[in-house]
Amino acid sequence: MLVLGIETSCDETAAALVADGVTVRANVIGSQVEQHRPFGGVVPEIAARAHLELLLPVLDRTLVEGGATYDDIEGVAVTVGPGLIGALLVGVAAAKSLALAQDVPLIGVNHLEGHVFAAQLEYGLLEPPVVALVVSGGHTSLVLLDVDGGFTTLGATIDDAAGEAYDKIARFLGLDYPGGPEIDRLAQHGDPEAIAFPRALLRRDDYDFSLSGLKTAVVRELRRRQGAGQEISVPDVAASFQEAIVDVQVHKTLAAAREHGVEQVAVVGGVAANSRLRARMAEACEQARVRLLAPSPGLCTDNGAMIAAAGWNRLVAGERSPLDVAADPGLAFSGPRG
Ligand code: KG4
Ligand code: ZN
């Protein structure tokens, strides 16, 4: 079954064609980074307008690259939430029109579920149970994908999302937007033990995360050093900050896998592109004899292929969304399927 996936929940206008839930025929991303860069973050109104301008050209390119026509599409999957309402509405409206015009089933997909199923595009059909760390610009959650296909949220951030923390600290350090990749790059030349930043909630035996204290600690430490006339090594700050985030993420993910007796761990979402997180997670999984599913960075950040993959799973299970399905900016992870 050839599924068209559409993703417009934030600042990437993305579409993809995926065959049988695993084979990417085309995966096109119309990035809006340049439009948002002057503001150092995503501006919702700009995102919605840019989606309107970009979506049709992105769909055309997807078909050309996939060597397909609209008549070849057998199902349409679209992100219905969580995300920015104005941005979501553009993709949802387009998906409904296409499903209606082509008379093919429509399936609304949870963006976070999409991130988890990105793993399927590289590792083949997922065989639950899987514990997934979903870390992106808007989300930080630890979820359990059950054998029945349902999701349970084990924990989540109680304040900032991981990507948000990377982006805010990067801005504070005067780095380019988006900041995550910049910190990742700089950290490779820094000492992760140079500054002992706090590891929030590390010792608590739940799966929640907190990042605002770390952010404040970085700002305070930099001001203190500036005030004392000390030289500041930006790579050291980047490496130490990154290490504090990664430590907690790795520890909690493996603790969750252990507690639930799960032997597969997935690391997904934009922040899963982080090279230190990938390396440390690989090490920890090897030690714990747990299989690591870490899709390549291009599939970690927002894309349409992950939405098509997640949608395909639901379509083959017989699920359909009505043509009046609503976009839901605060959509939560769903319970068991059906
Ligand atoms: O999943 P995504 O593309 O969009 C959302 O759904 O939010 O994630 C974007 C986030 C941004 O905050 C960006 O700074 C972060 O992912 N990111 C990274 C890296 N690459 C992207 N953070 C840390 N290290 C990276 N290499
Ligand atoms: Zn995302």
Side-chain angles (χ1 to χ4, degrees), residues 67-306:
T69 68
Y70 279 114
D71 288 341
D72 297 322
I73 296 168
E74 293 167 282
V76 178
V78 62
T79 305
V80 288
L84 303 168
I85 183 65
L88 288 166
L89 283 172
V90 177
V92 170
K96 286 177 181 174
S97 319
L98 276 172
L100 181 67
Q102 295 301 127
D103 193 23
V104 294
L106 172 72
I107 189 78
V109 172
N110 181 308
H111 180 77
L112 302 181
E113 184 172 324
H115 272 305
V116 173
F117 280 96
Q120 185 161 290
L121 299 165
E122 257 173 31
Y123 296 90
L125 292 185
L126 290 190
E127 286 177 31
V130 178
V131 162
L133 175 69
V134 187
V135 273
S136 73
H139 310 277
T140 294
S141 307
L142 205 45
V143 298
L144 174 65
L145 172 59
D146 272 318
V147 276
D148 66 358
F151 281 95
T152 310
T153 301
L154 304 174
T157 180
I158 56 174
D159 39 57
D160 290 350
E164 201 181 345
Y166 274 105
D167 293 341
K168 283 182 183 165
I169 290 302
R171 189 157 48 169
F172 185 73
L173 293 173
L175 306 175
D176 216 355
Y177 168 82
E182 291 292 304
I183 291 195
D184 191 350
R185 193 176 50 78
L186 274 172
Q188 289 170 24
H189 309 287
D191 174 6
E193 287 170 17
I195 310 165
F197 288 127
R199 270 71 171 154
L201 312 187
L202 184 62
R203 301 278 158 238
R204 245 169 60 171
D205 59 354
D206 63 17
Y207 302 114
D208 285 338
F209 299 87
S210 169
L211 286 163
S212 69
L214 171 59
K215 217 176 52 197
T216 314
V218 175
V219 173
R220 204 181 297 132
E221 178 64 16
L222 286 191
R223 295 224 165 104
R224 190 188 67 74
R225 289 190 182 209
Q226 260 164 358
Q230 288 173 6
E231 208 183 302
I232 294 165
S233 155
V234 176
D236 280 354
V237 175
S240 302
F241 163 74
Q242 179 177 272
E243 203 68 11
I245 294 191
V246 169
D247 259 356
V248 181
Q249 289 172 341
V250 171
H251 175 87
K252 294 217 172 195
T253 306
L254 278 132
R258 209 177 309 119
E259 185 192 329
H260 293 274
V262 172
E263 290 173 354
Q264 296 181 95
V265 156
V267 188
V268 295
V271 178
N274 184 268
S275 61
R276 187 67 180 159
L277 174 61
R278 298 172 79 88
R280 291 275 315 276
M281 199 65 97
E283 227 173 77
C285 284
E286 199 183 319
Q287 260 181 17
R289 294 180 194 283
V290 163
R291 181 181 186 218
L292 174 63
L293 310 172
S296 16
L299 290 174
C300 284
T301 42
D302 290 351
N303 64 84
M306 68 186 200

Side-chain angles (χ1 to χ4, degrees), residues 158 235 320 334:
I158 56 174
R320 304 284 184 266
S334 52

